[in-house]
Coordinates of all heavy atoms in Angstrom, one line a residue:
M119 N 79.1 -37.8 41.4 CA 78.1 -37.4 40.7 C 78.3 -37.3 39.1 O 79.3 -36.6 38.8 CB 77.4 -36.1 41.3 CG 76.1 -35.8 40.6 SD 75.4 -34.5 41.6 CE 74.3 -33.8 40.6
S120 N 77.6 -37.9 38.3 CA 77.8 -37.9 36.8 C 77.4 -36.5 36.4 O 76.4 -36.0 36.7 CB 77.4 -39.0 36.2 OG 76.1 -39.0 36.1
R121 N 78.0 -36.2 35.3 CA 77.7 -34.9 34.6 C 76.5 -35.1 33.7 O 76.1 -36.3 33.2 CB 78.8 -34.4 33.6 CG 79.9 -33.9 34.4 CD 81.0 -33.4 33.4 NE 81.3 -34.4 32.3 CZ 82.1 -34.1 31.2 NH1 82.6 -32.9 31.2 NH2 82.3 -35.0 30.4
K122 N 75.7 -34.1 33.4 CA 74.6 -34.2 32.5 C 75.0 -33.5 31.3 O 75.5 -32.4 31.3 CB 73.3 -33.5 33.1 CG 72.8 -34.3 34.3 CD 71.6 -33.6 34.9 CE 71.2 -34.2 36.3 NZ 70.1 -33.5 36.9
I123 N 74.6 -34.1 30.2 CA 75.0 -33.6 28.8 C 73.7 -33.4 28.0 O 73.0 -34.3 27.8 CB 76.0 -34.6 28.0 CG1 77.2 -34.6 28.9 CG2 76.3 -34.1 26.6 CD1 78.2 -35.8 28.5
K124 N 73.6 -32.2 27.5 CA 72.4 -31.8 26.6 C 72.8 -32.2 25.2 O 73.7 -31.4 24.5 CB 72.1 -30.4 26.8 CG 70.8 -29.8 26.0 CD 70.6 -28.4 26.3 CE 69.5 -27.9 25.6 NZ 69.3 -26.4 26.0
L125 N 72.2 -33.2 24.5 CA 72.4 -33.4 23.1 C 71.4 -32.6 22.3 O 70.2 -32.6 22.6 CB 72.3 -35.0 22.8 CG 73.3 -35.8 23.7 CD1 72.9 -37.2 23.4 CD2 74.8 -35.4 23.3
I126 N 71.9 -32.1 21.2 CA 71.1 -31.1 20.4 C 71.0 -31.4 19.0 O 72.0 -31.7 18.3 CB 71.7 -29.7 20.6 CG1 71.7 -29.3 22.0 CG2 70.8 -28.6 19.7 CD1 72.5 -28.1 22.4
W127 N 69.8 -31.4 18.5 CA 69.6 -31.5 17.0 C 69.0 -30.2 16.3 O 68.1 -29.7 16.9 CB 68.5 -32.6 16.8 CG 69.0 -34.0 17.0 CD1 69.5 -34.8 16.2 CD2 69.1 -34.7 18.4 NE1 69.8 -36.1 16.8 CE2 69.6 -35.9 18.1 CE3 68.8 -34.1 19.6 CZ2 69.7 -36.8 19.3 CZ3 68.9 -35.1 20.7 CH2 69.5 -36.4 20.5
D128 N 69.7 -29.7 15.4 CA 69.3 -28.4 14.8 C 68.5 -28.7 13.6 O 68.8 -29.6 12.8 CB 70.6 -27.6 14.3 CG 71.6 -27.4 15.4 OD1 71.2 -26.6 16.3 OD2 72.8 -28.0 15.5
F129 N 67.5 -27.8 13.4 CA 66.6 -27.9 12.3 C 66.5 -26.5 11.7 O 66.1 -25.5 12.4 CB 65.3 -28.4 12.7 CG 65.3 -29.8 13.3 CD1 65.3 -30.1 14.6 CD2 65.4 -30.9 12.4 CE1 65.4 -31.3 15.1 CE2 65.5 -32.3 13.0 CZ 65.5 -32.4 14.4
R130 N 66.6 -26.4 10.4 CA 66.5 -25.1 9.6 C 65.4 -25.2 8.6 O 65.2 -26.2 8.0 CB 67.9 -24.8 9.2 CG 69.0 -24.7 10.2 CD 70.3 -24.2 9.7 NE 71.4 -24.3 10.7 CZ 71.5 -23.4 11.6 NH1 70.7 -22.2 11.7 NH2 72.4 -23.5 12.6
G131 N 65.0 -24.0 8.3 CA 64.0 -23.9 7.2 C 62.5 -23.5 7.7 O 62.4 -23.5 8.9
P132 N 61.7 -23.3 6.8 CA 60.3 -23.0 7.2 C 59.6 -23.9 8.1 O 58.7 -23.5 8.9 CB 59.5 -22.6 5.9 CG 60.3 -23.3 4.9 CD 61.7 -23.4 5.4
A133 N 59.9 -25.1 8.0 CA 59.3 -26.2 8.9 C 60.0 -26.7 10.1 O 59.7 -27.6 10.7 CB 59.0 -27.5 8.0
S134 N 61.0 -25.8 10.4 CA 62.0 -26.2 11.5 C 61.3 -26.4 12.8 O 61.6 -27.3 13.6 CB 63.1 -25.2 11.6 OG 62.6 -23.9 11.9
A135 N 60.3 -25.5 13.2 CA 59.5 -25.6 14.5 C 58.8 -26.8 14.5 O 58.9 -27.5 15.6 CB 58.6 -24.3 14.6
K136 N 58.1 -27.2 13.5 CA 57.3 -28.4 13.5 C 58.1 -29.6 13.6 O 57.9 -30.6 14.2 CB 56.2 -28.5 12.3 CG 55.0 -27.5 12.5 CD 54.2 -28.1 13.6 CE 53.0 -27.3 13.6 NZ 52.1 -27.6 14.8
T137 N 59.3 -29.6 12.9 CA 60.1 -30.8 12.9 C 60.8 -30.9 14.2 O 60.9 -32.0 14.6 CB 61.3 -30.5 11.8 OG1 60.6 -30.3 10.5 CG2 62.1 -31.6 11.6
A138 N 61.2 -29.9 14.9 CA 61.8 -30.0 16.2 C 60.8 -30.5 17.2 O 61.1 -31.4 18.0 CB 62.4 -28.7 16.7
E139 N 59.6 -30.0 17.1 CA 58.5 -30.5 17.9 C 58.3 -32.0 17.8 O 58.2 -32.7 18.7 CB 57.3 -29.7 17.7 CG 56.1 -29.9 18.7 CD 54.8 -29.1 18.4 OE1 54.9 -28.3 17.4 OE2 54.0 -29.3 19.2
H140 N 58.3 -32.4 16.5 CA 58.0 -33.8 16.2 C 59.2 -34.6 16.7 O 59.0 -35.8 17.3 CB 57.6 -34.1 14.8 CG 57.4 -35.5 14.4 ND1 56.2 -36.0 14.7 CD2 58.1 -36.4 13.9 CE1 56.2 -37.2 14.3 NE2 57.4 -37.5 13.9
H141 N 60.4 -34.1 16.4 CA 61.6 -34.9 16.8 C 61.6 -35.2 18.4 O 62.0 -36.3 18.8 CB 62.8 -34.1 16.5 CG 64.1 -34.9 16.5 ND1 64.4 -36.0 15.6 CD2 65.2 -34.9 17.4 CE1 65.6 -36.5 16.0 NE2 66.0 -35.8 17.0
E142 N 61.1 -34.3 19.2 CA 61.1 -34.5 20.6 C 60.2 -35.8 20.9 O 60.5 -36.5 21.9 CB 60.6 -33.3 21.4 CG 60.6 -33.5 22.8 CD 59.8 -32.3 23.6 OE1 59.0 -31.6 23.1 OE2 60.0 -32.4 24.8
I143 N 59.1 -36.0 20.2 CA 58.4 -37.2 20.5 C 59.2 -38.4 20.3 O 59.1 -39.3 21.1 CB 57.1 -37.2 19.5 CG1 56.2 -36.0 19.7 CG2 56.4 -38.6 19.6 CD1 55.1 -35.8 18.7
H144 N 60.0 -38.5 19.4 CA 60.8 -39.7 19.2 C 61.9 -39.7 20.1 O 62.2 -40.9 20.5 CB 61.5 -39.6 17.8 CG 60.5 -39.7 16.6 ND1 59.6 -40.9 16.5 CD2 60.1 -38.9 15.7 CE1 58.9 -40.7 15.4 NE2 59.1 -39.4 14.9
L145 N 62.4 -38.6 20.7 CA 63.4 -38.7 21.8 C 62.8 -39.3 23.0 O 63.5 -40.1 23.6 CB 64.0 -37.2 22.0 CG 64.8 -36.7 21.0 CD1 65.1 -35.2 21.2 CD2 66.0 -37.5 20.5
K146 N 61.5 -38.9 23.3 CA 60.8 -39.5 24.5 C 60.6 -41.0 24.3 O 60.6 -41.7 25.3 CB 59.5 -38.7 24.7 CG 59.6 -37.3 25.3 CD 58.4 -36.6 25.3 CE 58.5 -35.2 25.9 NZ 57.2 -34.6 26.2
E147 N 60.3 -41.4 23.1 CA 60.1 -42.8 22.8 C 61.3 -43.5 23.0 O 61.5 -44.6 23.7 CB 59.5 -43.0 21.4 CG 58.2 -42.6 21.2 CD 57.8 -42.6 19.8 OE1 58.7 -42.6 18.8 OE2 56.6 -42.4 19.4
Y148 N 62.4 -43.0 22.6 CA 63.7 -43.6 22.7 C 64.2 -43.8 24.3 O 64.5 -44.9 24.6 CB 64.9 -42.9 22.1 CG 66.3 -43.4 22.2 CD1 66.6 -44.5 21.2 CD2 67.1 -43.0 23.1 CE1 67.9 -45.1 21.3 CE2 68.4 -43.7 23.2 CZ 68.7 -44.6 22.4 OH 70.0 -45.2 22.4
I149 N 63.9 -42.7 25.0 CA 64.1 -42.8 26.5 C 63.4 -43.9 27.1 O 63.9 -44.7 27.9 CB 63.8 -41.4 27.2 CG1 64.8 -40.4 26.7 CG2 63.7 -41.6 28.6 CD1 64.5 -39.0 27.0
T150 N 62.2 -44.1 26.8 CA 61.2 -45.1 27.3 C 61.8 -46.5 26.9 O 61.8 -47.4 27.8 CB 59.8 -45.0 26.9 OG1 59.3 -43.6 27.2 CG2 58.8 -46.0 27.4
I151 N 62.1 -46.6 25.6 CA 62.4 -47.9 25.1 C 63.8 -48.4 25.7 O 63.9 -49.5 26.1 CB 62.5 -47.9 23.6 CG1 61.2 -47.8 22.9 CG2 63.2 -49.1 23.0 CD1 61.2 -47.4 21.4
E152 N 64.7 -47.5 25.8 CA 66.0 -47.7 26.4 C 66.1 -47.7 27.9 O 67.2 -48.0 28.5 CB 67.1 -46.9 25.7 CG 67.2 -47.0 24.1 CD 67.8 -48.4 23.9 OE1 68.5 -49.0 24.5 OE2 67.3 -48.9 22.8
K153 N 65.1 -47.3 28.6 CA 64.9 -47.1 30.0 C 66.1 -46.3 30.6 O 66.8 -46.6 31.5 CB 65.0 -48.4 30.7 CG 63.8 -49.4 30.3 CD 63.8 -50.8 30.9 CE 62.7 -51.5 30.6 NZ 62.4 -51.8 29.2
L154 N 66.3 -45.1 29.9 CA 67.4 -44.2 30.3 C 67.0 -43.6 31.7 O 65.8 -43.4 31.9 CB 67.6 -43.1 29.3 CG 68.1 -43.7 27.9 CD1 68.3 -42.5 26.9 CD2 69.4 -44.4 28.1
P155 N 68.0 -43.3 32.5 CA 67.7 -42.6 33.9 C 67.1 -41.2 33.8 O 66.4 -40.9 34.9 CB 69.0 -42.7 34.5 CG 70.0 -42.7 33.4 CD 69.4 -43.3 32.3
L156 N 67.4 -40.5 32.8 CA 66.8 -39.2 32.8 C 65.8 -39.1 31.8 O 65.7 -39.7 30.7 CB 68.1 -38.1 32.4 CG 69.1 -38.1 33.4 CD1 70.2 -37.0 32.9 CD2 68.7 -37.5 34.8
N157 N 64.8 -38.2 32.0 CA 63.8 -38.0 31.1 C 63.5 -36.5 30.8 O 62.5 -35.9 31.2 CB 62.4 -38.6 31.7 CG 61.2 -38.6 30.7 OD1 61.5 -38.4 29.5 ND2 60.1 -38.9 31.1
I158 N 64.6 -35.9 30.3 CA 64.6 -34.4 30.1 C 64.7 -34.2 28.6 O 65.7 -34.5 28.1 CB 65.7 -33.7 31.0 CG1 65.6 -33.9 32.4 CG2 65.7 -32.2 30.6 CD1 66.9 -33.4 33.1
T159 N 63.6 -33.7 28.0 CA 63.7 -33.4 26.6 C 63.0 -32.1 26.4 O 62.3 -31.5 27.3 CB 62.9 -34.5 25.6 OG1 61.5 -34.4 26.2 CG2 63.5 -35.9 26.0
G160 N 63.1 -31.5 25.1 CA 62.4 -30.3 24.8 C 62.8 -29.9 23.4 O 63.5 -30.4 22.7
F161 N 62.2 -28.8 23.0 CA 62.3 -28.2 21.8 C 62.3 -26.7 21.9 O 61.6 -26.2 22.9 CB 61.5 -28.7 20.6 CG 60.1 -28.1 20.7 CD1 59.7 -27.0 20.0 CD2 59.1 -28.8 21.4 CE1 58.3 -26.7 20.0 CE2 57.8 -28.4 21.5 CZ 57.4 -27.3 20.8
K162 N 63.0 -25.9 21.2 CA 63.1 -24.5 21.3 C 63.0 -23.8 20.0 O 63.9 -24.3 19.1 CB 64.2 -24.0 22.1 CG 64.3 -22.5 22.3 CD 65.4 -22.2 23.2 CE 65.6 -20.7 23.4 NZ 66.7 -20.3 24.2
I163 N 62.2 -22.9 19.7 CA 62.2 -22.1 18.5 C 63.0 -20.9 18.6 O 62.8 -20.0 19.4 CB 60.7 -21.8 18.1 CG1 59.8 -22.9 18.0 CG2 60.6 -20.9 16.8 CD1 58.3 -22.8 17.9
I164 N 64.2 -20.9 17.8 CA 65.0 -19.8 17.9 C 64.5 -18.7 17.1 O 64.4 -17.4 17.5 CB 66.4 -20.2 17.5 CG1 66.9 -21.6 18.0 CG2 67.4 -19.1 17.6 CD1 67.1 -21.5 19.5
D165 N 64.1 -18.9 15.9 CA 63.3 -17.9 15.0 C 62.5 -18.7 14.0 O 62.5 -19.9 14.1 CB 64.4 -16.9 14.4 CG 65.3 -17.6 13.4 OD1 65.0 -18.6 12.7 OD2 66.6 -17.0 13.4
D166 N 62.0 -17.9 13.0 CA 61.2 -18.6 12.1 C 61.8 -19.6 11.1 O 61.0 -20.4 10.5 CB 60.1 -17.6 11.4 CG 61.0 -16.6 10.4 OD1 62.2 -16.6 10.7 OD2 60.5 -15.9 9.5
M167 N 63.1 -19.5 11.1 CA 63.8 -20.5 10.2 C 64.8 -21.4 11.0 O 65.5 -22.2 10.3 CB 64.6 -19.6 9.1 CG 63.7 -18.9 8.2 SD 62.8 -20.0 7.1 CE 64.0 -20.3 5.9
Y168 N 64.7 -21.5 12.4 CA 65.7 -22.2 13.0 C 65.0 -22.8 14.4 O 64.5 -21.9 15.2 CB 66.9 -21.4 13.3 CG 68.0 -22.2 14.0 CD1 68.4 -23.5 13.9 CD2 68.7 -21.4 15.2 CE1 69.4 -24.0 14.5 CE2 69.7 -22.1 15.9 CZ 69.9 -23.4 15.6 OH 71.0 -24.0 16.3
A169 N 65.1 -24.0 14.6 CA 64.6 -24.6 15.9 C 65.6 -25.6 16.3 O 66.3 -26.2 15.5 CB 63.2 -25.0 15.7
I170 N 65.5 -26.1 17.6 CA 66.3 -27.2 18.1 C 65.4 -28.1 18.9 O 64.5 -27.8 19.4 CB 67.5 -26.7 18.9 CG1 66.9 -26.0 20.3 CG2 68.4 -25.9 18.1 CD1 68.1 -25.8 21.2
A171 N 65.8 -29.3 18.8 CA 65.2 -30.5 19.8 C 66.4 -30.9 20.6 O 67.6 -30.9 20.2 CB 64.7 -31.5 19.0
F172 N 66.2 -31.3 21.9 CA 67.3 -31.7 22.7 C 66.9 -32.7 23.8 O 65.6 -32.8 24.0 CB 67.8 -30.5 23.5 CG 67.0 -29.8 24.5 CD1 66.8 -30.4 25.8 CD2 66.2 -28.8 24.2 CE1 66.0 -29.8 26.7 CE2 65.3 -28.2 25.0 CZ 65.1 -28.7 26.3
M173 N 67.8 -33.5 24.2 CA 67.6 -34.4 25.3 C 68.8 -34.4 26.2 O 69.9 -34.1 25.8 CB 67.3 -35.9 24.8 CG 68.4 -36.6 24.3 SD 68.0 -38.3 23.7 CE 67.6 -39.2 25.1
V174 N 68.6 -34.6 27.5 CA 69.7 -34.6 28.4 C 70.0 -36.0 28.8 O 69.1 -36.8 29.2 CB 69.4 -33.8 29.6 CG1 70.5 -33.7 30.7 CG2 69.0 -32.3 29.3
V175 N 71.3 -36.4 28.8 CA 71.7 -37.8 29.2 C 72.8 -37.6 30.2 O 73.4 -36.5 30.3 CB 72.2 -38.5 28.0 CG1 71.1 -38.8 27.0 CG2 73.4 -37.9 27.3
T176 N 73.1 -38.7 30.8 CA 74.3 -38.8 31.8 C 75.5 -39.2 31.0 O 75.6 -39.7 29.9 CB 74.1 -39.8 32.9 OG1 73.9 -41.1 32.3 CG2 72.9 -39.5 33.8
D177 N 76.7 -38.9 31.6 CA 78.0 -39.3 31.0 C 77.9 -40.8 30.6 O 78.4 -41.1 29.5 CB 79.1 -39.1 32.0 CG 79.8 -37.8 31.8 OD1 79.6 -37.1 30.8 OD2 80.6 -37.5 32.8
E178 N 77.5 -41.5 31.5 CA 77.4 -43.0 31.3 C 76.7 -43.4 30.0 O 76.9 -44.4 29.3 CB 76.8 -43.8 32.4 CG 77.6 -43.7 33.7 CD 77.5 -42.3 34.5 OE1 76.5 -41.7 34.2 OE2 78.3 -42.0 35.3
N179 N 75.6 -42.7 29.6 CA 74.8 -43.1 28.5 C 75.0 -42.2 27.3 O 74.6 -42.5 26.2 CB 73.2 -42.8 28.9 CG 72.8 -43.6 30.0 OD1 72.5 -43.1 31.1 ND2 72.7 -44.9 29.8
M180 N 75.9 -41.2 27.4 CA 76.1 -40.3 26.2 C 76.6 -41.0 25.0 O 76.1 -40.8 23.9 CB 77.2 -39.3 26.7 CG 77.2 -38.1 25.6 SD 78.4 -38.4 24.2 CE 79.9 -38.5 25.0
I181 N 77.6 -42.0 25.1 CA 78.3 -42.7 23.8 C 77.0 -43.5 23.2 O 76.9 -43.5 21.9 CB 79.3 -43.5 24.3 CG1 80.5 -42.7 25.0 CG2 79.9 -44.4 23.0 CD1 81.1 -41.7 23.9
Q182 N 76.3 -44.3 24.0 CA 75.3 -45.1 23.5 C 74.2 -44.2 22.7 O 73.9 -44.5 21.5 CB 74.6 -45.7 24.5 CG 73.2 -46.4 24.1 CD 72.3 -46.7 25.4 OE1 72.8 -46.7 26.5 NE2 71.0 -46.9 25.1
V183 N 73.8 -43.2 23.3 CA 72.8 -42.3 22.7 C 73.4 -41.5 21.5 O 72.8 -41.5 20.3 CB 72.2 -41.4 23.7 CG1 71.2 -40.4 23.0 CG2 71.4 -42.1 24.8
R184 N 74.6 -41.0 21.6 CA 75.2 -40.3 20.5 C 75.4 -41.3 19.2 O 75.0 -40.9 18.1 CB 76.7 -39.9 20.9 CG 77.3 -39.1 19.8 CD 78.9 -39.0 20.0 NE 79.4 -40.4 19.9 CZ 80.7 -40.7 20.2 NH1 81.3 -39.8 20.9 NH2 81.1 -42.0 20.1
D185 N 75.7 -42.5 19.4 CA 76.0 -43.3 18.3 C 74.7 -43.8 17.7 O 74.5 -44.1 16.4 CB 76.9 -44.6 18.8 CG 78.2 -44.3 19.0 OD1 78.7 -43.1 18.8 OD2 78.9 -45.2 19.7
A186 N 73.6 -43.9 18.6 CA 72.3 -44.3 18.0 C 71.5 -43.2 17.3 O 70.9 -43.5 16.3 CB 71.4 -44.9 19.2
L187 N 71.6 -42.1 18.0 CA 70.7 -41.0 17.4 C 71.4 -39.8 16.6 O 70.8 -39.0 16.1 CB 69.9 -40.4 18.6 CG 68.9 -41.4 19.4 CD1 68.3 -40.7 20.4 CD2 68.1 -42.1 18.5
K188 N 72.7 -39.9 16.7 CA 73.5 -38.9 15.9 C 73.1 -37.4 16.0 O 72.6 -36.6 15.1 CB 73.4 -39.2 14.4 CG 73.6 -40.6 14.0 CD 75.1 -40.9 13.9 CE 75.4 -42.3 13.2 NZ 75.5 -43.4 14.1
P189 N 73.2 -36.9 17.2 CA 72.9 -35.4 17.5 C 73.9 -34.6 16.8 O 75.0 -35.1 16.4 CB 73.1 -35.3 19.0 CG 73.9 -36.3 19.4 CD 73.7 -37.5 18.5
H190 N 73.6 -33.4 16.5 CA 74.5 -32.4 15.8 C 75.6 -31.9 16.7 O 76.6 -31.5 16.3 CB 73.7 -31.3 15.1 CG 72.6 -31.8 14.2 ND1 71.4 -31.4 14.2 CD2 72.9 -32.6 13.0 CE1 70.7 -32.1 13.0 NE2 71.6 -32.8 12.6
R191 N 75.2 -31.8 17.9 CA 76.1 -31.2 18.8 C 75.7 -31.6 20.3 O 74.6 -32.1 20.5 CB 76.3 -29.7 18.7 CG 75.1 -28.8 18.8 CD 75.3 -27.5 18.2 NE 74.0 -26.8 18.0 CZ 73.4 -26.0 19.0 NH1 74.2 -25.7 20.1 NH2 72.2 -25.3 18.9
G192 N 76.6 -31.1 21.3 CA 76.2 -31.3 22.7 C 76.8 -30.3 23.5 O 77.8 -29.7 23.1
E193 N 76.4 -30.1 24.7 CA 76.9 -29.1 25.7 C 76.6 -29.6 27.1 O 75.7 -30.4 27.2 CB 76.4 -27.7 25.4 CG 74.9 -27.6 25.7 CD 74.4 -26.3 25.1 OE1 74.8 -25.7 24.1 OE2 73.4 -25.7 25.8
L194 N 77.3 -29.2 28.1 CA 77.0 -29.5 29.5 C 75.7 -28.9 29.8 O 75.4 -27.8 29.4 CB 78.1 -29.0 30.4 CG 79.5 -29.7 30.4 CD1 80.4 -29.0 31.3 CD2 79.3 -31.2 30.8
Y195 N 74.9 -29.6 30.5 CA 73.6 -29.3 31.0 C 73.6 -28.7 32.4 O 74.1 -29.5 33.2 CB 72.6 -30.4 30.8 CG 71.2 -30.1 31.3 CD1 70.4 -29.3 30.5 CD2 70.7 -30.6 32.4 CE1 69.1 -29.0 30.9 CE2 69.5 -30.3 33.0 CZ 68.6 -29.5 32.1 OH 67.3 -29.2 32.5
E196 N 73.2 -27.6 32.6 CA 73.1 -27.0 33.9 C 71.7 -26.8 34.3 O 71.0 -25.9 33.6 CB 74.0 -25.8 34.0 CG 75.2 -26.0 33.4 CD 76.4 -25.3 34.2 OE1 76.1 -24.8 35.1 OE2 77.6 -25.4 33.7
S197 N 71.1 -27.5 35.1 CA 69.5 -27.3 35.4 C 69.3 -26.0 36.2 O 70.0 -25.4 36.9 CB 69.1 -28.5 36.2 OG 70.0 -28.8 37.3

């Protein structure tokens, strides 16, 4: 069974929440266009000046997505 990896984009500043929310839309579009096997995305507001957007990929797709979308960081995803 392949591992799931959560790729994360960090957004800072007063517009961070709206930017992260909007970025998730593009992540969903990418998943559809590339026909990726997982469809797990989201955004989280950490505080009024910091938010993240994320998508979960498999080990097999991680390099492709990382090179195309340039996430800021990643971590193992545990559902």
Side-chain angles (χ1 to χ4, degrees):
M119 186 166 160
S120 70
R121 295 182 306 170
K122 294 178 184 171
I123 300 167
K124 182 178 181 181
L125 300 177
I126 301 167
W127 290 261
D128 299 293
F129 300 99
R130 299 184 187 279
S134 61
K136 285 290 185 189
T137 305
E139 183 178 8
H140 182 78
H141 192 70
E142 183 192 12
I143 294 167
H144 294 298
L145 296 176
K146 289 179 179 184
E147 290 170 347
Y148 183 83
I149 289 169
T150 301
I151 291 166
E152 296 296 324
K153 298 177 176 64
L154 296 178
L156 296 177
N157 189 15
I158 303 170
T159 64
F161 72 95
K162 182 176 179 183
I163 300 167
I164 309 300
D165 63 37
D166 61 343
M167 295 292 279
Y168 178 48
I170 65 169
F172 66 87
M173 74 183 291
V174 178
V175 297
T176 61
D177 266 345
E178 296 80 21
N179 298 110
M180 193 277 295
I181 300 293
Q182 167 200 341
V183 175
R184 181 200 68 194
D185 290 351
L187 302 182
K188 310 277 193 270
H190 297 126
R191 56 196 172 97
E193 61 188 39
L194 287 178
Y195 178 74
E196 311 217 3
S197 50

